[in-house]
Amino acid sequence: MVNINNVKILVIEDDPGHSRLIEKNLRRANIINEIILLNDGKKALDYLFGEEESSGKEPVSTMIILLDLNLPVIDGFKVLEHIKNNACTKNIPVIILTTSSDSQEISRCYDLGCNVYITKPVAYEKFSDAIKKLGLFLSVADVPERS
Amino acid sequence: MNIKPKKSELEAARQTIKFFETLLRATTDGIVITDTTLNIIVANEAFCDIFGRHRNELIETNLSVWLEQLDPGAIKRWTELENQLHVKGFCPNVEFQITEKEKKRHFNVNASLLEQVACEETGAIISIWRDVTEWKEAQNLLEKYAKKLKQANEEVKQFAYIISHDLRAPLVNIKGYSTELRYAADEISSLMSSVTPHLNEEQKESLSRVIKEDMPEALGFIESSANKMDYFISAILKLSHLGRHKLIPEKIDTRSIVESVLNDMAHQIEKCRAKITFGTLPPIIADKTSIEQIVGNILNNALKYHAPERQLKIDIAAEQADKEITIHVCDNGRGIAADDMDKVFAPFRRAGEQNVPGEGMGLSYVQAIVRRHGGQIWCESEQNVGTTFSFTIPAK
């Protein structure tokens, strides 16, 4: 069983305003975990599959990923696909957090293996509520240990 | 015994020949008669013009020589044409092209077997060559436009997506950080009591104005504007989704739809004591929800924009033609000024005095739905007299 407080939260989001709002609201929901902000898809893949990891230094700890879809360099769909197609990362819970509510995009994400899809509501109360609930969800989620 | 034809018979025969020669000369279609080995027996002027030759150069030559000058595959198509001739006696609509001074001309050829007329032993083939170049060019142009239109439609869809995503992202920030500022202002406010003893009266007043009036006012405008923008974006998105919504056509009892819509509005109808009358409303084939939306929206407008000084009367009538059914909703309400007529179906536009709440999107949605059904919608109106909205639904 993983100690939930050791779980890192990886926020892959290109809008600095959004990632800061996500961070602020996670903190408001009493989430004390380490939060790592990455602002494009390539940086996310480098972080997950890059040199640091394969060099066998410190294994990447268990984590939860909050992923936006519209990302520069490599988009969110591709990032999701890479994560879910790799045996080492496929069990990491991936939460899509994006402004699109297009039903085709939602089903495409589920087809690619995302765990939860959340549309960012424009109304801030709803937005912060969604993040807080997400925080609550994270605090009870069973995060698998990395194999 | 040698039977010599009478002079009058010869005359009659000559006249017949003359009649046919005139006919052949007068027609704009190329006409050529060959025997079954394709030797040209008769060719009219229009046919000679196709190949740009004098008649002497064509008569008694073989048509296949000339077919070779046409587009590649012409010989093969002619062979298929002949095969069909021998089976059915005729062959309609075979296409040939000829390129002449870099201009391509298109011909539509209809051929028939002439048995035992021109050439008693083997029969003959008559083919009529119609120049369809202009028609073909018009068709190509039409296809080109259709392709462009399809492309433009795709771009509009793409545009709706950009609106939904790219414009919403900054809005999340505007609303998010204005709320964060509100939290900050609340915190400053709660710290006020510990600060005020150190300030003089003027400073106290200034600080209180900033915190209690200026900041909330500014934040209020930021938030209400962001809300409005969010509404606009959602409305445009809804408009574009209407264009994609799947229609389920079924046979609809128009009268019962109208009645159920009126039933839902019973309260408003009673409130302005409206009198509603019907003509005969024939059944139509359409998507039920769409028709409810169209009728509901038009009737709702009639109720909203009634003239308070007279009893509201609404008449709903239908006109049935072969290809479509037209439904008219006629009221004696406040009417629309001639200058405002162009705003009626435009998104976010509202006409006349703004004394009833509305977003200006209703008729834009209605127009999108009617068009989706292949129909049209329009309105006629006179200020202070009334308005008639009419829409058509194709009869399938």
Side-chain angles (χ1 to χ4, degrees):
Chain A
M1 183 70 190
V2 179
N3 180 350
I4 195 76
N5 288 337
N6 292 339
V7 173
K8 281 183 189 171
I9 300 171
L10 197 59
V11 178
I12 309 167
E13 165 67 70
D14 68 318
D15 187 315
H18 289 198
S19 47
R20 182 80 182 109
L21 284 177
I22 291 167
E23 196 183 2
K24 271 170 113 73
N25 282 290
L26 284 175
R27 295 293 180 232
R28 270 198 197 109
N30 299 322
I31 296 290
I32 53 157
N33 304 54
E34 184 185 353
I35 296 174
I36 296 152
L37 305 176
L38 297 167
N39 62 6
D40 76 48
K42 188 173 181 303
K43 283 182 193 157
L45 292 184
D46 284 348
Y47 181 87
L48 289 165
F49 306 106
E51 294 298 310
E52 317 170 36
E53 187 193 348
S54 48
S55 64
K57 283 192 289 183
E58 181 197 1
V60 176
S61 63
T62 47
M63 63 174 84
I64 285 172
I65 296 172
L66 300 189
L67 178 63
D68 187 19
L69 291 176
N70 201 4
L71 293 170
V73 196
I74 295 174
D75 72 27
F77 293 107
K78 291 222 178 66
V79 174
L80 177 62
E81 200 175 353
H82 268 93
I83 293 170
K84 292 300 176 184
N85 280 342
N86 188 304
C88 297
T89 51
K90 69 172 190 206
N91 290 329
I92 300 175
V94 177
I95 295 149
I96 303 293
L97 191 57
T98 188
T99 42
S100 169
S101 51
D102 187 286
S103 57
Q104 280 174 355
E105 299 212 330
I106 296 176
S107 60
R108 189 174 160 204
C109 284
Y110 280 114
D111 287 347
L112 288 173
C114 91
N115 301 75
V116 182
Y117 187 106
I118 300 173
T119 301
K120 290 174 192 163
V122 173
Y124 188 58
E125 296 70 34
K126 285 189 193 159
F127 181 83
S128 65
D129 197 45
I131 305 293
K132 280 178 202 156
K133 283 196 178 121
L134 187 62
L136 202 66
F137 166 75
L138 296 186
S139 68
V140 295
D142 194 8
V143 180
E145 220 151 347
R146 269 179 78 95
S147 48
Chain B
M1 200 170 67
N2 191 6
I3 301 171
K4 236 179 149 183
K6 283 184 201 159
K7 210 177 173 187
S8 61
E9 281 175 358
L10 265 175
E11 189 54 34
R14 269 195 208 108
Q15 287 220 341
T16 310
I17 291 166
K18 204 164 180 169
F19 171 74
F20 280 110
E21 277 176 351
T22 314
L23 206 62
L24 283 176
R25 204 168 43 239
T27 177
T28 52
D29 289 343
I31 298 176
V32 61
I33 303 173
T34 67
D35 63 19
T36 43
T37 63
L38 298 188
N39 274 320
I40 297 175
I41 305 161
V42 174
N44 74 344
E45 274 157 30
F47 183 80
C48 298
D49 287 348
I50 293 172
F51 293 94
R53 299 284 166 163
H54 193 267
R55 197 196 312 259
N56 296 339
E57 295 175 85
L58 291 176
I59 299 292
E60 288 182 10
T61 62
N62 199 285
L63 181 62
S64 60
V65 175
W66 305 103
L67 289 174
E68 275 170 17
Q69 298 189 5
L70 298 169
D71 58 297
I75 303 263
K76 190 167 168 258
R77 252 172 293 134
W78 185 273
T79 313
E80 285 162 13
L81 175 147
E82 274 188 61
N83 291 341
Q84 224 189 103
L85 275 184
H86 292 302
V87 177
K88 294 202 294 193
F90 67 95
C91 177
N93 301 325
V94 180
E95 275 187 35
F96 293 97
Q97 290 133 42
I98 186 165
T99 308
E100 178 190 290
K101 290 175 195 153
E102 292 182 8
K103 194 184 180 301
K104 201 183 245 181
R105 286 161 70 207
H106 299 265
F107 294 91
N108 197 2
V109 176
N110 284 272
S112 291
L113 212 51
L114 271 176
E115 274 173 281
Q116 298 173 350
V117 176
C119 211
E120 280 192 17
E121 275 150 40
T122 53
I125 297 166
I126 177 165
S127 58
I128 301 173
W129 297 57
R130 173 159 293 182
D131 189 336
V132 291
T133 310
E134 276 178 35
W135 178 80
K136 199 87 186 171
E137 279 170 358
Q139 200 188 29
N140 286 344
L141 208 61
L142 207 64
E143 271 166 24
K144 207 172 108 189
Y145 287 146
K147 205 175 151 192
K148 270 192 182 170
L149 204 62
K150 204 175 160 193
Q151 207 176 350
N153 262 334
E154 280 307 311
E155 278 166 19
V156 169
K157 275 187 203 164
Q158 189 63 22
F159 182 68
Y161 174 78
I162 289 168
I163 281 177
S164 78
H165 194 284
D166 292 5
L167 291 187
R168 265 192 180 154
L171 266 187
V172 169
N173 280 335
I174 293 171
K175 294 207 72 173
Y177 288 99
S178 62
T179 311
E180 289 294 331
L181 273 180
R182 215 180 261 286
Y183 293 158
D186 288 347
E187 210 165 321
I188 295 173
S189 213
S190 69
L191 295 173
M192 273 277 278
S193 54
S194 54
V195 178
T196 36
H198 309 286
L199 303 173
N200 63 32
E201 278 311 306
E202 202 184 320
Q203 287 170 321
K204 269 186 210 163
E205 203 180 297
S206 165
L207 189 62
S208 145
R209 196 186 59 241
V210 167
I211 290 171
K212 292 208 170 89
E213 290 168 34
D214 294 356
M215 283 176 64
E217 187 191 37
L219 288 171
F221 278 118
I222 293 172
E223 280 167 2
S224 66
S225 301
N227 286 342
K228 213 178 259 178
M229 205 152 161
D230 183 34
Y231 166 76
F232 288 155
I233 293 168
S234 306
I236 290 172
L237 205 61
K238 186 177 166 193
L239 201 57
S240 84
H241 274 301
L242 282 178
R244 286 193 282 176
H245 161 78
K246 197 176 182 307
L247 301 178
I248 306 162
E250 56 176 312
K251 194 173 177 180
I252 296 172
D253 178 358
T254 316
R255 187 173 174 125
S256 75
I257 291 260
V258 172
E259 279 171 345
S260 90
V261 169
L262 289 171
N263 215 19
D264 292 340
M265 296 178 174
H267 178 67
Q268 292 155 272
I269 293 170
E270 205 171 308
K271 214 168 122 195
C272 54
R273 296 189 301 115
K275 186 173 181 251
I276 295 165
T277 50
F278 297 86
T280 314
L281 301 174
I284 52 176
I285 292 167
D287 178 64
K288 191 168 172 249
T289 321
S290 301
I291 298 300
E292 280 170 348
Q293 284 171 331
I294 297 167
V295 175
N297 229 295
I298 296 174
L299 286 173
N300 195 28
N301 279 347
L303 290 167
K304 260 161 79 176
Y305 303 107
H306 71 278
E309 65 275 12
R310 57 179 174 264
Q311 189 197 6
L312 174 64
K313 287 178 185 161
I314 303 174
D315 183 60
I316 304 155
E319 247 180 276
Q320 191 159 17
D322 285 351
K323 287 188 177 160
E324 60 193 17
I325 290 162
T326 312
I327 294 175
H328 306 280
V329 180
C330 176
D331 69 49
N332 66 341
R334 70 186 205 192
I336 303 159
D339 283 352
D340 285 337
M341 289 300 272
D342 59 337
K343 289 186 192 170
V344 172
F345 298 104
F348 307 122
R349 293 288 171 271
R350 300 180 67 208
E353 205 187 331
Q354 313 278 296
N355 57 347
V356 266
E359 308 288 1
M361 283 307 285
L363 286 171
S364 297
Y365 294 146
V366 167
Q367 187 181 46
I369 300 168
V370 172
R371 284 188 180 162
R372 195 69 213 289
H373 277 81
Q376 286 185 65
I377 182 163
W378 66 95
C379 87
E380 283 159 30
S381 185
E382 196 178 329
Q383 203 159 18
N384 299 321
V385 177
T387 305
T388 301
F389 275 96
S390 309
F391 65 94
T392 61
I393 296 289
K396 275 165 211 153

